[in-house]
Amino acid sequence: MPRISIVIPCYNAQRYLRGAIDSVLGQTFQDLEIVVVDDGSTDGTRELVAGVQDERLRYIYQENRGPAAARNHGIAAAQGEYIALLDADDLALPRRLEGQLAVLEAAPDLAVVGSGYVWIDEEGRRLSWATHSWQAYPELNAFRNWLFDCPFVPSATMFRRVAWRDVGGFDEELTGPEDWNFWMRLALHGCRMTWHREVVCLYRHRPDSLSEDAERMSAHSAEAVRRIMQHPKFPPELFDAAQQGLAVRYVDGSKRLYRAGLWSQGRAALQKAVDLDPTLLRDQPSRLEDELVSAALDPLVADPIQFLASLFDHLPPSALELTARQRHVLTRGRVELLVRGLRYGKPSLVRQHLGPALMRLPGWLLDAGTRATIVRALRGRRQAAAARLWGRR
């Protein structure tokens, strides 16, 4: 029986699936099986898998039921003691399985190991400016941290199959945040987790194919937290923190809806966020302002400044006080883009945003958001220069 089972759920992912399979077959650790679960694809997925000549590859077909059901189906059919997840459009780096297995086997009481990832676009190009929460995420076994963020992506995790069984697998009624809900239920169950802070996969960042995907993701993300709050093992002393975490989910949902052009739905989600946590509007710049700027800087947003300007036309009543800071927010967006251009060698971004940023900067220097942006930029440039210097030595 194989030591590790790699479960790959897929739905109409023929374009990427062969790359995912090959990235597993090219691992330094080879005592494995690959379980591809076809979730009702209508493309050539079945034929593609049939063309791979390797006896360790298994193909399972099911009617379309979503990624959670596909993962559960694959894990139930798996034979390995350890389960490694890999989405069909992601790529595993060659030492992924070897490194994660070593961490789990060194500590028999560990249930889950999470590792790092970098984002790539649809063509496989690395998105160098995309941020990664795993790089600075604190202790995984402090449950409160999980209420606010999920640092794991499925394609960078490995866990013991028995842990999946003990919590009843993935919640098949959730689509999108089903993996985050799964990690939180593992944490409530007392399963220990740890980091293997090395990049082990390339995580593909793709635009939502349909606007309803954004609506579903927004609703299910909030529902994932609500279900945790109703869990019999949920600590009641964390109720207020969970309310704040729920507000963050609504903020994230509003960002996704705004990016999809669903302005009224985004406004409604943002209203729910502020109703749950009024402190989102506290201070200048407020946390909500930070979130709006980050939404505009998503690599999938074609024109961040125009997007930011449009946001101010669709704020909910409770956040209208932000309109007084519209000039600051737009300038901050330009400064962030300018920093990105300088840091990652993108002269077009520098040319586009340097003039407008400099014209608006003098009256804005007292703003804490600008100061923080400039400090980050200078620190990043200094670290990059030092790295180049040491590399030459």
Side-chain angles (χ1 to χ4, degrees), residues 215 254 257-258 261-271 314 316:
E215 293 186 271
S254 71
L257 291 162
Y258 282 144
L262 301 173
W263 299 105
S264 60
Q265 295 93 321
R267 181 193 295 118
L270 203 57
Q271 180 67 59
H314 299 91

Side-chain angles (χ1 to χ4, degrees), residues 123-186:
E123 304 305 321
R125 297 181 294 256
R126 294 199 179 197
L127 299 174
S128 55
W129 56 81
T131 58
H132 312 292
S133 59
W134 65 268
Q135 293 171 322
Y137 199 83
E139 172 60 45
L140 291 171
N141 296 303
F143 181 73
R144 187 182 188 280
N145 295 335
W146 283 98
L147 295 171
F148 294 92
D149 188 24
C150 178
F152 287 173
V153 298
S155 296
T157 58
M158 183 185 291
F159 52 88
R160 298 182 192 273
R161 189 169 179 271
V162 66
W164 167 84
R165 181 200 66 196
D166 288 347
V167 299
F170 291 88
D171 188 333
E172 298 184 8
E173 294 180 354
L174 296 173
T175 301
E178 75 281 346
D179 57 302
W180 182 34
N181 177 271
F182 176 65
W183 310 127
M184 287 196 285
R185 285 189 288 116
L186 286 174

Side-chain angles (χ1 to χ4, degrees), residues 99-134:
Q100 293 183 318
L101 179 63
V103 173
L104 286 172
E105 292 202 322
D109 62 327
L110 279 176
V112 184
V113 58
S115 299
Y117 58 92
V118 294
W119 282 355
I120 57 175
D121 65 13
E122 291 184 281
E123 304 305 321
R125 297 181 294 256
R126 294 199 179 197
L127 299 174
S128 55
W129 56 81
T131 58
H132 312 292
S133 59
W134 65 268

Side-chain angles (χ1 to χ4, degrees), residues 202-224:
L202 304 180
Y203 178 54
R204 205 176 300 271
H205 194 38
R206 298 163 56 191
D208 292 335
S209 57
L210 297 171
S211 60
E212 52 260 35
D213 289 343
E215 293 186 271
R216 184 184 66 242
M217 285 283 288
S218 176
H220 285 211
S221 183
E223 181 62 20

Side-chain angles (χ1 to χ4, degrees), residues 214-223 226 243-259 262-278 280 288 291-292 311 314-319:
E215 293 186 271
R216 184 184 66 242
M217 285 283 288
S218 176
H220 285 211
S221 183
E223 181 62 20
R226 287 197 194 92
Q243 286 284 95
Q244 293 178 323
L246 185 58
V248 172
R249 299 281 65 75
Y250 276 114
V251 171
D252 285 345
S254 71
K255 290 156 60 174
R256 184 177 289 109
L257 291 162
Y258 282 144
R259 285 195 295 262
L262 301 173
W263 299 105
S264 60
Q265 295 93 321
R267 181 193 295 118
L270 203 57
Q271 180 67 59
K272 291 180 180 178
V274 176
D275 289 344
L276 283 166
D277 184 8
L280 286 167
L288 187 55
E291 293 288 349
L292 297 181
L311 282 176
H314 299 91
L315 290 174
S318 60

